[in-house]
Amino acid sequence: MASTLSEWNDKQVCVITCDGRSIVGILAGYDQLQNLILKEASERVYSPDADPETVPLGLYVIRGDNVAIISDRDEDMEASTGLSSVRAEPLESVVQNVG
């Protein structure tokens, strides 16, 4: 994973966390445990009744064990597909069966 993340250093990324949050920001750093540091981060809060709300977070740390998905972010593609006006149910938390 670390070799892939190095390609995204100082680039826009989107992170889906295990508790269902969608956080976007610039990847400022990471470590071998996939702990992430995002600068200029914001959370997208989705609702079926309204356009997504963007909550500014600033400099933000996400623990590696809470990262479900990380991807690069293409703002031009998001604008052309109308992603900023998508209405949706919030994501559910990831359930891990340990036992």
Side-chain angles (χ1 to χ4, degrees), residues 6 13 27-28 45-46 55 61 64 69 75 81:
S6 66
V13 295
L27 183 62
V45 181
Y46 291 94
V55 179
V61 177
I69 300 170
E75 292 183 67
T81 59

Side-chain angles (χ1 to χ4, degrees), residues 2-96:
S3 63
T4 302
L5 288 178
S6 66
E7 298 171 12
W8 292 342
N9 234 9
D10 291 319
K11 294 191 174 147
Q12 287 276 340
V13 295
C14 178
V15 179
I16 305 297
T17 62
C18 291
D19 58 356
R21 298 171 68 196
S22 174
I23 300 172
V24 297
I26 299 170
L27 183 62
Y30 61 92
D31 65 11
Q32 68 276 11
L33 299 175
Q34 200 174 329
N35 295 311
L36 306 176
I37 301 170
L38 301 181
K39 58 185 177 183
E40 300 176 24
S42 59
E43 179 180 0
R44 288 184 184 156
V45 181
Y46 291 94
S47 165
D49 304 321
D51 290 348
E53 178 183 351
T54 301
V55 179
L57 302 172
L59 188 64
Y60 200 73
V61 177
I62 304 172
R63 285 180 48 123
D65 61 354
N66 195 29
V67 175
I69 300 170
I70 181 170
S71 71
D72 58 338
R73 182 173 174 228
D74 184 345
E75 292 183 67
D76 294 332
M77 187 271 311
E78 287 182 13
S80 68
T81 59
L83 190 60
S84 62
S85 60
V86 169
R87 296 179 181 196
E89 292 288 335
L91 293 174
E92 294 185 22
S93 298
V94 173
V95 178
Q96 296 180 0

